[in-house]
Amino acid sequence: SMSTRERIKKFICLALQSFRRFRNSLSEHFHQLWLWHKTLKIIGGEFGTSVLSYFIFLKWLLSFNIFSFLINFSFITVPQFIAAEPNNLSFTGLELLTGAGYFQQTVLYYGFYTNATISKTENGASYNMQLAYIFTVGIYFVICLLILLFSMAKSFCRNFINPQTYSGNASKLLCTWDFNVTNEKAVKLKQKNLSTQVKVQNPGDAKRCSNMTNGHPTIVPSRELTQQLSVQLLVLFLCRNIILKISIIGILCYYWLDIVAESKSQCWETLIGQDIYRLILVDFIFCLLGSFFGEFLRRIIGTTVCVSLGVPEFDIARNVLDLIYAQTLTWIGILFSPLLPGIQMISFFIVFYTKKVSLMKNCQPPRQVWRAAQMTTFFMFLLFFPSLIGVLSVIAVTVWRLKPSEECGPFRGLSSMFAAVSEWIKILENYTGSKWVVWIYNNLITSELFFFILSIIFLIITYLYWQIIEGRKTMVKLLRNQIVNVSSSFSFILFKIQDVHQKAETVGFAVPGRKVTWRGSRNHDEKTHHLKESSMPPYSYVSLCLYIT
Amino acid sequence: MGNKQTIFTPEQLDAYQVQNKLNGLFYRYRDLAPQLVPLDYTDKPDVTLPYELIGSMPELKDNPFRQRIAEVFSEDGDGNMTLDDFLDMFSVLSEMAPRDLKAYYAFKIYDFNNDDYICKSDLEKTVNKLTRNELTPEEVRLVCEKVIYEADLDNDGKLSLEDFQHMIIRAPDFLSTFHIRI
């Protein structure tokens, strides 16, 4: 029989095991979504990891929208169906393009939702629509924030964003063969690209001679120079696009929050919702058009009219930025049009299949190494920092500062959307069972002192971690220097041993002990010997010194 | 498990890292030679599939390093794999394997003569496989010298596991490129 302690240990072991199994299966089925598994495998097999990263990013954003649509539909829309008012408008096909008209009186927009407390039966369970609306949207954004934060941190941790990478041939040759590529043609193409890169980097004598015999020596720019230029162009392109899109969204938000909201029109939230619907629709249409012109027509031109252009490559940066822009718009629109993620979901589905077909038919695999890992981390950072944080600021301003419209929506008549929560807290004060909720609200959520102290604590922790990182960086540098120093002193010691050996032999003494040979240092000495005990730890050269003396 | 046949005991399930994909991988292994692999693995039968079958898998058949991959993960070093070897291979090559594990196995794959160092001849073979023998011997020699010059930290003329791992740190894409989807 086992003692209590052993029993507890076994129980904890079993509990951890089952938790681990549960977490694995959850992450496998939910987070990774076996949707499109085969398609992604084919894309990766033919085009490599960098192009695949775009499609994985698209699938990831799609999961955000599916999650949002599901919770909005279950918690906000379904109860609204029970308390729905009849729709007197008629449906013409134009609504699909403008979002106005018939759709104005449907669950698509904020204005349709009731501010009543819905109950199916008299004195039965009641459902407070105001609280449901604000809490659903709020909790969704908190979850999004946490997911994005953890994914971004994990990505940073894995990829060590370091702008000095790819400085040499070694990592390029040994670490970048893409094992994902399984298509025979793609493998051959990759091998050809690699051999071309190597040839260009080491122009042989034959090439030099042919350059000279033309009469005038031609200047072939080195590979490093062209690669540096292309990286700089990419960075410039990214910065320009990002600034452009942020400015557009910024101006739009200012227009919506300052002008439309204050305009005393009938139902300004619905108007904003309609604007966002139209923007998303147009963005979707232009995304498809971009695929048509940028890839399909470009391939036609590149293969028939202007053959020197060749077949296009898939422009990963531009497409990912388009996705981030669309997702930002959707996030802004969730408060004003709860079913917008559903529309974006459909749009992402169509975009996925369009891009996939266009990729397979019109594009060639990328020629240059694309730094997929760093780029993915950078795009996730973009999604977090201007995109989600900006959206949260807009939502915060809307919920705290703006006065909801008088005649429509779940918050009609209140001074602000957040007032629904404060009124609920006031009601809760009368129940003794919920005093803790009131306490939390008064002392943690609305208390400025609490947030001030929390900010100070976080700043201190950040500062401490920053100093620790600086210290570790210095230590890494020191250790690296130490490796180089040890190896060069090691070579020096062995040179001395060799010297002593030779002197002893000329004098006539046989020097006992092991035969140690050495390899010349970095100037490619022709004496290529192998160290007999090559993995000697550093302290052993001290013992060798003692042996010599 | 309902009406699904049990292929593995619960202890076996716990021992394998790729728990959720275990059944899928087992069926892929079995599909290579249905007559050799039994459906019931609870008594740990001693079944080895020859390299020719492993190398004909669609995920591996066009990979220039498929022979080395099979040799590294097989028990006998010849590329003939048991189910354990097969699962090890795909778990190291999956997304969830840590960087150090992948670096260790990548090092072993590129070490053609199995002497725990990537020496010049190993590098030459690697370069030839990566470029489909299209380079002249002079160019191959030049490239190998450059690689050793850059990556050899302890100056012994060949790359040890530490040199290789140091190089991996500067290539953050390694985790996503050293990956086979199944």
Side-chain angles (χ1 to χ4, degrees):
Chain A
S1 66
M2 290 186 289
S3 69
T4 323
R5 203 160 160 217
E6 284 168 11
R7 274 207 205 109
I8 293 177
K9 259 198 213 165
K10 190 163 186 207
F11 171 73
I12 293 179
C13 220
L14 280 170
L16 281 174
Q17 252 178 20
S18 46
F19 172 68
R20 202 173 14 110
R21 239 180 267 160
F22 171 72
R23 194 193 55 177
N24 275 348
S25 63
L26 202 69
S27 76
E28 179 74 26
H29 289 117
F30 189 73
H31 175 57
Q32 280 185 319
L33 280 185
W34 278 80
L35 187 67
W36 295 326
H37 174 75
K38 200 146 186 230
T39 315
L40 290 176
K41 201 171 149 189
I42 297 174
I43 294 176
E46 278 195 38
F47 291 91
T49 316
S50 48
V51 171
L52 188 61
S53 67
Y54 165 79
F55 288 91
I56 292 181
F57 192 72
L58 175 55
K59 195 173 92 162
W60 195 55
L61 286 182
L62 182 70
S63 65
F64 275 119
N65 284 317
I66 292 179
F67 176 54
S68 168
F69 175 68
L70 283 175
I71 63 171
N72 280 357
F73 192 74
S74 346
F75 290 107
I76 308 182
T77 312
V78 166
Q80 179 60 37
F81 279 137
I82 302 175
E85 291 158 17
N87 192 342
N88 302 324
L89 304 169
S90 57
F91 181 78
T92 66
L94 205 59
E95 271 85 10
L96 287 172
L97 281 179
T98 60
Y102 176 78
F103 282 157
Q104 220 159 342
Q105 293 281 20
T106 57
V107 285
L108 184 59
Y109 293 117
Y110 168 98
F112 185 68
Y113 289 85
T114 176
N115 69 339
T117 308
I118 307 166
S119 48
K120 208 144 185 240
T121 58
E122 279 293 324
N123 299 331
S126 66
Y127 192 83
N128 189 332
M129 185 51 110
Q130 286 181 342
L131 291 180
Y133 202 96
I134 202 171
F135 281 145
T136 309
V137 173
I139 292 177
Y140 168 72
F141 275 117
V142 166
I143 294 179
C144 258
L145 186 71
L146 290 174
I147 291 177
L148 245 154
L149 196 61
F150 286 126
S151 310
M152 197 176 68
K154 201 165 71 162
S155 198
F156 265 131
C157 183
R158 261 164 67 133
N159 297 327
F160 296 45
I161 289 221
N162 182 0
Q164 282 99 10
T165 53
Y166 282 79
S167 50
N169 296 310
S171 53
K172 217 178 290 177
L173 214 56
L174 288 181
C175 305
T176 61
W177 176 257
D178 198 345
F179 282 69
N180 262 318
V181 178
T182 51
N183 176 300
E184 190 188 345
K185 226 173 27 173
V187 166
K188 282 196 189 142
L189 198 66
K190 250 193 159 32
Q191 286 168 321
K192 191 160 191 329
N193 285 339
L194 257 170
S195 65
T196 318
Q197 272 182 25
V198 168
K199 281 188 201 283
V200 167
Q201 243 165 338
N202 312 304
D205 291 295
K207 196 168 181 212
R208 231 178 279 134
C209 288
S210 74
N211 277 343
M212 292 300 282
T213 51
N214 277 346
H216 35 266
T218 50
I219 302 173
V220 178
S222 71
R223 188 72 186 174
E224 280 99 46
L225 193 62
T226 48
Q227 195 144 40
Q228 253 185 356
L229 275 176
S230 67
V231 165
Q232 282 176 350
L233 278 175
L234 180 71
V235 168
L236 200 66
F237 167 80
L238 281 174
C239 285
R240 190 198 68 178
N241 261 37
I242 293 167
I243 293 177
L244 186 69
K245 289 193 155 76
I246 291 179
S247 330
I248 291 176
I249 296 185
I251 293 176
L252 280 172
C253 287
Y254 172 75
Y255 167 70
W256 286 325
L257 296 183
D258 246 20
I259 298 180
V260 177
E262 309 294 330
S263 70
K264 311 276 186 273
S265 44
Q266 259 266 319
C267 201
W268 59 267
E269 293 96 345
T270 306
L271 289 177
I272 297 181
Q274 286 169 358
D275 272 348
I276 298 185
Y277 175 90
R278 287 187 279 256
L279 276 172
I280 286 185
L281 188 67
V282 168
D283 185 62
F284 168 65
I285 292 176
F286 270 88
C287 182
L288 298 181
L289 281 178
S291 202
F292 179 76
F293 284 105
E295 286 154 21
F296 175 66
L297 279 188
R298 167 86 171 67
R299 173 185 67 105
I300 302 272
I301 295 175
T303 46
T304 50
V305 177
C306 185
V307 195
S308 59
L309 272 182
V311 176
E313 285 179 16
F314 188 74
D315 193 349
I316 303 170
R318 182 177 61 90
N319 282 302
V320 172
L321 287 180
D322 278 344
L323 287 182
I324 296 179
Y325 175 73
Q327 187 59 40
T328 312
L329 284 178
T330 312
W331 272 335
I332 296 178
I334 286 182
L335 189 64
F336 307 106
S337 166
L339 293 185
L340 206 62
I343 296 173
Q344 188 66 355
M345 209 170 76
I346 300 173
S347 130
F348 273 163
F349 258 101
I350 300 178
V351 164
F352 184 93
Y353 285 111
T354 313
K355 292 285 174 188
K356 177 199 140 204
V357 166
S358 174
L359 177 77
M360 298 294 205
K361 294 223 163 15
N362 299 330
C363 299
Q364 60 165 321
R367 268 168 298 192
Q368 284 198 5
V369 170
W370 198 73
R371 308 187 183 210
Q374 285 180 323
M375 279 295 160
T376 315
T377 314
F378 175 63
F379 288 135
M380 230 185 271
F381 174 73
L382 269 187
L383 193 67
F384 180 77
F385 183 54
S387 182
L388 184 64
I389 298 294
V391 168
L392 286 179
S393 328
V394 168
I395 301 282
V397 166
T398 313
V399 167
W400 257 286
R401 292 296 167 104
L402 295 181
K403 186 162 163 41
S405 40
E406 293 286 327
E407 291 137 23
C408 66
F411 300 104
R412 59 191 96 171
L414 294 173
S415 60
S416 74
M417 292 189 193
F418 197 72
V421 177
S422 35
E423 282 188 7
W424 175 60
I425 294 288
K426 280 207 195 85
I427 297 175
L428 273 188
E429 269 170 18
N430 299 329
Y431 297 94
T432 45
S434 3
K435 283 261 189 259
W436 61 276
V437 181
V438 182
W439 185 87
I440 290 180
Y441 179 80
N442 286 331
N443 294 318
L444 297 185
I445 301 195
T446 44
S447 155
E448 291 91 8
L449 186 65
F450 173 70
F451 282 111
F452 182 67
I453 296 176
L454 205 64
S455 313
I456 299 274
I457 294 177
F458 277 130
L459 281 173
I460 293 175
I461 295 178
T462 311
Y463 177 71
L464 285 174
Y465 269 118
W466 180 31
Q467 290 305 307
I468 294 177
I469 291 176
E470 292 292 311
R472 293 224 171 123
K473 264 195 229 172
T474 323
M475 196 157 96
V476 164
K477 229 183 277 181
L478 280 174
L479 285 172
R480 210 175 280 169
N481 285 340
Q482 203 176 11
I483 295 178
V484 175
N485 281 340
V486 162
S487 71
S488 57
S489 3
F490 201 33
S491 310
F492 176 71
I493 295 292
L494 291 170
F495 169 75
K496 275 287 179 199
I497 295 176
Q498 185 86 345
D499 207 30
V500 166
H501 249 276
Q502 283 172 353
K503 285 194 184 132
E505 275 173 5
T506 52
V507 173
F509 286 114
V511 181
R514 56 181 170 263
K515 188 167 182 241
V516 178
T517 52
W518 66 287
R519 187 198 195 280
S521 64
R522 279 185 170 198
N523 26 14
H524 301 291
D525 225 326
E526 292 320 302
K527 301 196 189 81
T528 322
H529 307 284
H530 294 294
L531 280 163
K532 282 276 179 241
E533 287 181 344
S534 39
S535 51
M536 268 197 232
Y539 59 77
S540 69
Y541 71 78
V542 174
S543 56
L544 278 174
C545 289
L546 295 173
Y547 174 73
I548 297 169
T549 49
Chain B
M1 271 201 178
N3 49 359
K4 240 195 200 168
Q5 192 178 4
T6 38
I7 309 169
F8 300 102
T9 63
E11 289 77 28
Q12 283 172 319
L13 275 174
D14 276 335
Y16 292 124
Q17 274 179 332
V18 279
Q19 284 172 19
N20 336 73
K21 296 192 179 152
L22 181 58
N23 279 347
L25 283 171
F26 172 74
Y27 286 122
R28 289 299 303 269
Y29 184 73
R30 189 162 187 275
D31 283 340
L32 295 172
Q35 69 279 14
L36 286 176
V37 180
L39 265 175
D40 189 354
Y41 245 75
T42 46
D43 51 357
K44 300 197 193 166
D46 186 17
V47 175
T48 308
L49 292 187
Y51 164 69
E52 290 72 30
L53 289 176
I54 307 283
S56 69
M57 285 181 71
E59 285 87 357
L60 288 176
K61 73 171 168 51
D62 288 310
N63 192 316
F65 294 103
R66 60 187 175 280
Q67 182 151 18
R68 276 305 296 164
I69 296 174
E71 282 170 13
V72 161
F73 286 101
S74 63
E75 258 177 65
D76 58 3
D78 277 331
N80 308 314
M81 300 177 91
T82 64
L83 179 65
D84 275 356
D85 302 332
F86 188 79
L87 291 172
D88 277 341
M89 176 169 74
F90 281 106
S91 94
V92 168
L93 287 166
S94 75
E95 286 171 322
M96 298 194 271
R99 180 192 294 264
D100 291 335
L101 194 66
K102 289 198 184 213
Y104 174 72
Y105 278 103
F107 180 77
K108 283 180 81 168
I109 288 174
Y110 294 136
D111 180 15
F112 282 78
N113 50 13
N114 286 324
D115 63 349
D116 292 333
Y117 287 97
I118 297 182
C119 58
K120 207 129 169 250
S121 66
D122 293 333
L123 269 179
E124 282 171 6
K125 289 202 190 91
T126 307
V127 171
N128 277 325
K129 279 211 192 292
L130 284 172
T131 57
R132 214 180 188 84
N133 296 318
E134 272 184 20
L135 298 177
T136 66
E138 183 65 26
E139 285 163 343
V140 172
R141 191 185 64 87
L142 222 65
V143 168
C144 294
E145 278 179 6
K146 270 197 193 166
V147 170
I148 291 190
Y149 181 76
E150 275 174 22
D152 187 14
L153 283 178
D154 51 11
N155 255 335
D156 54 0
K158 46 197 178 172
L159 302 183
S160 64
L161 180 60
E162 288 75 29
D163 296 332
F164 189 74
Q165 280 175 335
H166 183 79
M167 203 167 58
I168 295 276
I169 289 178
R170 290 189 288 163
D173 281 328
F174 175 71
L175 276 175
S176 47
T177 53
F178 194 69
H179 165 50
I180 294 186
R181 268 174 192 264
I182 187 157

